[in-house]
Amino acid sequence: MPGLAEIARIAGVSVSTVSRVLNRRAGVNEETRQRVLAALSDLPYSPRGLGALQRTGVIGLLLPELSNPVFPAFAEALETRAAAAGYSSLLCNTRSAGMREEEYVRMVLARGVEGMIFVSPAITNAPPGEAPDAGYYTRLVADGVHMVFINGATPALDIADIAVDEQLAGYLATSHLIALGHTRIGFVSGPARALPSRLKRAGWAAALEENGCSAPAELVAHGPFEPAGGAAALAHLLDTVAPTAVICSSDQMAIGALREAARRGLRVPAQLSVVGFDDIPFAAHCTPALTTVAQPIHEMSAAAVDELVQRLDPDSRRRSAASHTRLFRPRLVVRESTGPIPTA
């Protein structure tokens, strides 16, 4: 493959060594691996520039992690739809390689994928108040790499985005709790830089203000998108503002919040109502069963694959069409973890 030979020439290593690095096989020391990655960074992003001169029938699926059940659910739905369209999938867990997303993308392109779908791309995690670094995505577009984002919208990029309406999700969850009589509703947020959390928080604040309730910063606590993060964030809220209900940025965080409530002897929902987001399979089976806001994962995945396949088709008139954001409506799933405001 000419692309491997070019990378090997720049790095001063053999083609087989380049192949080992790209396929993440053992037998390559760290200094050599870094030389190969540095060589990749000197080449164009385009698969054509790396030697993939023919159609491979493979698309890349890039997810930030697989420990959160929502991402394997997306991977399965995406892979199923891609197979139905005649494409094989290369699944990439970008946090598992010890590399930046950009380096992982170069490796994937070097293996000849025709296009890529990013689920929650790195650009969604820009620090609040700072413009996201769109540089490498812009260069990918300029080099002719076909891409679609899932939950990665940003005005700085001309890339099609398939997204759930995160702001509406926060609004629906908050409105549900307000209808139950709650007014002091905490928001268990993911990291402050994460766009999904910022959008859900905007919906939370809008619903509170619409109903004459305040949305002070004291009712917001941040943590990682995992059970321990949810538990720690709820602990902070209970120790400071004592909300009667909390909305969590993910089901993983909500499960941690349920655990923290149980540790403190708080009965859910009699003394504290909890809402999650994602509707992962375990949400219906925890105790109590979790009220959550569901993403339409299968519909979003189908739309993302169809969009990419259209762009890969050389005969499709949509190849030159302007990129766009397609918003999907989330769905409130009421279970056992929410109830009326405590009377005492």
Side-chain angles (χ1 to χ4, degrees), residues 63-148:
L63 297 89
E65 60 174 306
L66 295 178
S67 57
N68 186 336
V70 71
F71 293 117
F74 266 113
E76 181 179 12
L78 287 165
E79 187 173 22
T80 300
R81 187 70 168 198
Y87 283 84
S88 299
S89 302
L90 181 62
L91 179 62
C92 310
N93 177 6
T94 56
R95 287 184 188 169
S96 70
M99 299 185 296
R100 292 180 297 119
E101 182 188 82
E102 180 179 359
E103 294 170 328
Y104 212 130
V105 165
R106 291 186 182 278
M107 291 176 63
V108 170
L109 289 174
R111 297 187 66 181
V113 298
E114 291 189 43
M116 294 180 291
I117 296 175
F118 292 79
V119 182
S120 299
I123 196 168
T124 63
N125 292 320
E130 296 184 19
D133 180 12
Y136 104 83
Y137 298 102
T138 302
R139 294 194 300 276
L140 281 169
V141 173
D143 282 338
V145 178
H146 296 289
M147 296 177 293
V148 174

Side-chain angles (χ1 to χ4, degrees), residues 293-316:
V293 182
Q295 296 191 69
I297 290 175
H298 290 279
E299 293 87 343
M300 292 170 65
S301 298
V305 171
D306 292 349
E307 179 74 29
L308 182 61
V309 169
Q310 292 259 13
R311 292 171 181 273
L312 293 174
D313 183 357
D315 299 323
S316 173

Side-chain angles (χ1 to χ4, degrees), residues 69-70 73 251 278-286 335:
V70 71
D251 285 348
D278 284 331
D279 196 24
I280 63 175
F282 187 67
H285 303 288
C286 58
R335 296 194 179 103

